[in-house]
Amino acid sequence: MPRDPRYDILFEPVRIGPVTAPNRFYQTPHATGFGWQRPQSGAALRGVKAEGGWGVVCTEYCSIHPSSDDSPYAFLTLWDDQDIAPLALTAEAIHAHGSLAGIELWHGGAHASNRMTRVPGIAPMTQPALYHLPATARAMDLSDIRTFRGWQRDAARRARQAGFDIVYVYAGHDYLPFQFLSRRTNQRSDAYGGSLENRVRLLREMIEDTKDAVGETCAVAVRLAVDELHGPEGITSDGEGREIIAMLAELPDLWDVNVAGALGNDSRSARFSGEGFQEENVAFVKSLTSKPVVSVGRFTSPDRMVSQIRRGVQDFIGAARPSIADPFLPAKIREGREDEIRECIGCNICRAANNEGVGLRCTQNPTMGEEWRRGWHPERIAVHPRRERALVIGGGPAGLEAALTLGRRGLEVALAEASDRFGGRLLREATLPGLQTWLRVRDWRLHMLGKLANVDLYPASRMTAADVAGFGADHVVLANGSHWRRDGVGVCATRPLDLPEALTPDDVFAGTPVAGPVVIYDDEHYFMGGALAEKLAVAGHEVQYVTTAAVASSWTVMTNEQDFLQARLIEAGVKLHPLKALISHDSGTATLACVYTGRTEALPCATLILTTGRLPDSALADELSSAGIAASRVGDCLAPSSIADAVYSAHRFARLLGEPDLPPRREMPPERSP
């Protein structure tokens, strides 16, 4: 289809200093979990983004010196000339599709752990390491600052040699240059402290040094947090953030601006922010500079993208998470296929992967991170070698993904769902506060299934073993989900409890009446316990939230949501009881025990809700096994987990059907002669 002319502005070339971006789609720097150890994986991932039409594709953070070591997390390095060739792989992969390659040079300052290099950390002032370590970052003297500037110049020179077109000066996310900017972290009394002009001095010098190092061949970008969201004690968009832009307005070739006292502010999940949420803080920048501006906001709507450009908010559409969910987002708009955009749901599973120290992953896009190690592509898949029929049972996220992938491979597919609506667990979880975007997992797959003539959908079709036998499919795929446990077994408690009056989230979603006071017992630690507590508190119930962890929904630390979530629960009036295990529940009382001392206490409890763990729905699998009918299980009915894991499980099964299940490729060090 031809492109909608409303979107033509998105495909205009934009000049960035000495280079020109072919369009306004700009993949801002984001972590991959590959770093310097896995250069081929990183190059393949960025190459797919460029193939998908992103006019600028940037790397993750790239350390300029061993004193900026983020181990155990994955990061790039330009410490010496040996780093040039591995990084050139990424630049070449991006250039192969006509896009500009950007590299984000980084020094973490007091945020760098240096656990691998064991080099003492540095900061504007002597201060405890910000990585929660028993270590201290030492204060930089003037000699240290001169040396640091040399590291930036050397890394910029190496970046140019590796073939990058845009070289970053990184002054955001509370890293070293930003630590010099903020009064919270800079109380120096020399030429680099005190007045804002002095605190800006290092950033100005870094921009000038970088421009000198790259000459006329590369653009120099500045990534700056214009508001660290700490109020008047820090940088604010209506205060010193604005003044910094005004001071340096024409010095870099591009401004990449955001809100970020920490990464969680910038990459806020959909649960705590809407699309374009940073606009109110960054919109002023273009009025102060003639240089192009890029920012982010989890943009997935082409109309909102056009609005950002036409209203003068920014010159590029910056994206990290939307480019992960759909690396081909620009190409789909260009080709008039915007209905096929796989929209980011803002769940931050991508952030969790980085925070866990593993390769990138995505709920919407199961191929993300698998481009090199498995050879998976988000838009292409091998046709199944034989004309066969598949019956997929269960229309939740795993079943929808299995049906879609099998359909794309050319099989004749029937998708049977017991209820009258497709979506499975998504239908329930999307009713929780802030999780409405999760329905995009269902909506995109249903839409794409509607384009396949070889896939038939059967709602309100509960299947028995006799039904399956009568269908006569070559492949039977079970994706019929899981259910919440009623016995209290979870992460902490491994022995079942007798809890005959307890409810589970399944009961609450089914409409079982809830009376206060309500006790929610969370021994699973992802979103469910905290989200249910918020939902019931907002509905007017007295809610007591009990968890064996130290904080509410503790695993959401990985998705950068925990701080926001805990604050919201407190504001909603939820009473938190951390580090407590449930012992019993009877006669309107829940008995708890301290996880350390065993000391008990009682809480009034009219309704106990357990969010401790889930069990696969195995009845049909058992029935089929007894009847001698072979079936494959995917998603939660195989191993209950996140939606991302359910989608991946189904995609992996469908993509590997008829193919050898080989281990993923690993990047091995080169063999050396004895």
Side-chain angles (χ1 to χ4, degrees), residues 107-138:
H107 198 292
H111 269 288
S113 67
N114 301 343
R115 304 311 280 171
M116 175 182 67
T117 63
R118 303 189 73 175
V119 174
I122 55 176
M125 307 178 304
T126 299
Q127 67 172 92
L130 297 175
Y131 190 71
H132 304 296
L133 299 171
T136 301
R138 65 178 181 83

Side-chain angles (χ1 to χ4, degrees), residues 455-539:
V455 178
D456 294 314
L457 306 183
Y458 297 96
S461 299
R462 185 175 297 277
M463 304 292 287
T464 65
D467 297 326
V468 173
F471 194 87
D474 299 293
H475 304 282
V476 178
V477 184
L478 299 183
N480 51 323
S482 64
H483 58 275
W484 286 89
R485 303 184 69 121
R486 296 183 179 277
D487 57 7
V489 171
V491 173
C492 181
T494 58
R495 292 176 179 268
L497 299 173
D498 183 19
L499 301 167
E501 298 179 2
L503 302 183
T504 72
D506 297 324
D507 299 317
V508 178
F509 289 129
T512 301
V514 173
V518 178
V519 171
I520 292 179
Y521 178 55
D522 187 358
D523 197 21
E524 187 242 10
H525 309 301
Y526 188 23
F527 68 91
M528 183 59 75
L532 268 182
E534 180 184 353
K535 180 183 178 77
L536 293 174
V538 170

Side-chain angles (χ1 to χ4, degrees), residues 88-376:
L89 296 174
T90 291
E92 292 163 3
I94 295 168
H95 289 155
H97 300 283
S99 302
L100 297 181
I103 186 167
E104 184 181 53
L105 303 185
W106 165 76
H107 198 292
H111 269 288
S113 67
N114 301 343
R115 304 311 280 171
M116 175 182 67
T117 63
R118 303 189 73 175
V119 174
I122 55 176
M125 307 178 304
T126 299
Q127 67 172 92
L130 297 175
Y131 190 71
H132 304 296
L133 299 171
T136 301
R138 65 178 181 83
M140 297 169 68
D141 60 24
L142 295 181
S143 174
D144 293 322
I145 291 174
R146 285 192 296 272
T147 301
F148 169 78
R149 291 174 58 188
W151 300 339
Q152 175 74 18
R153 284 192 299 269
D154 291 344
R157 172 185 57 79
R158 294 181 184 118
R160 182 194 65 202
Q161 290 179 252
F164 288 92
D165 308 289
I166 302 171
V167 179
Y168 266 77
V169 176
Y170 189 5
H173 297 119
D174 209 18
Y175 293 134
L176 184 60
F178 192 84
Q179 291 163 24
F180 272 86
L181 292 174
S182 177
R183 288 174 296 182
R184 294 189 312 110
T185 46
N186 182 355
Q187 286 104 48
R188 299 172 69 103
S189 58
D190 61 5
Y192 291 89
S195 69
L196 180 60
E197 183 176 4
N198 280 359
R199 285 180 277 127
V200 170
R201 189 182 306 276
L202 179 60
L203 177 56
R204 181 189 297 275
E205 291 172 342
M206 291 177 70
I207 299 170
E208 293 169 344
D209 292 339
T210 305
K211 291 179 81 74
D212 287 344
V214 301
E216 298 298 319
T217 58
C218 302
V220 173
V222 171
R223 195 176 204 187
L224 176 69
V226 296
D227 200 316
E228 53 183 321
L229 303 182
H230 284 295
E233 292 299 312
I235 303 293
T236 62
S237 55
D238 59 356
E240 290 188 340
R242 180 180 295 266
E243 294 177 53
I244 294 168
I245 296 288
M247 285 181 183
L248 306 175
E250 302 302 309
L251 195 54
D253 297 309
L254 174 135
W255 287 98
D256 179 344
V257 292
N258 58 21
V259 296
L263 283 165
N265 291 325
D266 186 25
S267 56
R268 209 173 300 174
S269 73
R271 187 173 176 184
F272 300 101
S273 67
E275 184 175 351
F277 72 96
Q278 298 200 29
E279 180 178 333
E280 63 178 311
N281 297 102
V282 304
F284 74 89
V285 176
K286 269 191 62 61
S287 68
L288 298 179
T289 179
S290 66
K291 301 303 176 72
V293 175
V294 63
S295 187
V296 294
R298 215 172 55 251
F299 298 108
T300 62
S301 162
D303 294 308
R304 191 180 293 270
M305 296 175 192
V306 168
S307 173
Q308 290 277 305
I309 304 301
R310 293 203 182 282
R311 291 186 294 109
V313 178
Q314 54 183 322
D315 299 283
F316 290 97
I317 298 303
R321 289 170 290 177
S323 75
I324 295 167
D326 197 337
F328 276 67
L329 182 152
K332 290 175 180 178
I333 299 174
R334 185 184 66 229
E335 297 164 6
R337 298 188 293 127
E338 56 270 15
D339 65 307
E340 297 184 10
I341 292 172
R342 191 189 294 110
E343 291 184 280
C344 171
I345 70 172
C347 66
N348 278 11
I349 283 293
C350 54
R351 289 294 308 137
N354 181 72
N355 290 332
E356 290 181 307
V358 297
L360 192 59
R361 57 200 57 189
C362 175
T363 297
Q364 279 282 58
N365 176 12
T367 70
M368 180 51 54
E370 306 289 359
E371 298 85 356
W372 183 84
R373 74 173 195 160
R374 290 192 183 274
W376 291 0

Side-chain angles (χ1 to χ4, degrees), residues 395-660:
L400 290 166
E401 178 64 29
L404 178 59
T405 306
L406 291 170
R408 289 175 63 202
R409 295 199 63 193
L411 283 82
E412 295 292 328
V413 180
L415 174 59
E417 163 56 36
S419 72
D420 59 359
R421 297 172 65 200
F422 290 96
R425 61 184 284 190
L426 295 165
L427 298 174
R428 302 182 292 275
E429 292 170 8
T431 66
L432 295 170
L435 302 188
Q436 295 86 346
T437 58
W438 289 22
L439 274 178
R440 292 175 175 178
V441 174
R442 176 201 67 175
D443 294 346
W444 180 80
R445 285 163 177 79
L446 280 178
H447 180 71
M448 297 304 292
L449 283 167
K451 293 174 177 278
L452 297 178
N454 56 319
V455 178
D456 294 314
L457 306 183
Y458 297 96
S461 299
R462 185 175 297 277
M463 304 292 287
T464 65
D467 297 326
V468 173
F471 194 87
D474 299 293
H475 304 282
V476 178
V477 184
L478 299 183
N480 51 323
S482 64
H483 58 275
W484 286 89
R485 303 184 69 121
R486 296 183 179 277
D487 57 7
V489 171
V491 173
C492 181
T494 58
R495 292 176 179 268
L497 299 173
D498 183 19
L499 301 167
E501 298 179 2
L503 302 183
T504 72
D506 297 324
D507 299 317
V508 178
F509 289 129
T512 301
V514 173
V518 178
V519 171
I520 292 179
Y521 178 55
D522 187 358
D523 197 21
E524 187 242 10
H525 309 301
Y526 188 23
F527 68 91
M528 183 59 75
L532 268 182
E534 180 184 353
K535 180 183 178 77
L536 293 174
V538 170
H541 293 284
E542 177 188 342
V543 179
Q544 309 269 355
Y545 173 92
V546 177
T547 178
T548 55
V551 294
S553 295
S554 61
W555 195 80
T556 61
V557 169
M558 298 298 175
T559 56
N560 294 138
E561 296 176 289
Q562 202 285 322
D563 291 350
F564 301 112
L565 181 149
Q566 184 121 353
R568 185 173 285 184
L569 291 181
I570 293 170
E571 290 168 357
V574 175
K575 176 69 173 176
L576 305 181
H577 300 270
L579 302 173
K580 301 291 173 61
L582 178 70
I583 300 300
S584 65
H585 173 239
D586 54 63
S587 304
T589 300
T591 302
L592 314 178
C594 171
V595 298
Y596 293 117
T597 66
R599 186 177 301 156
T600 61
E601 64 180 274
L603 281 182
C605 176
T607 303
L608 173 65
I609 302 174
L610 304 173
T611 60
T612 58
R614 287 178 290 149
L615 293 169
D617 286 335
S618 59
L620 181 56
D622 295 341
E623 188 181 349
L624 292 174
S625 178
S626 297
I629 300 172
S632 301
R633 292 187 293 165
V634 297
D636 286 346
C637 79
L638 175 64
S641 187
S642 66
I643 298 171
D645 285 345
V647 170
Y648 182 87
S649 167
H651 186 88
R652 182 177 182 275
F653 165 82
R655 191 177 277 259
L656 293 179
L657 185 68
E659 306 287 340

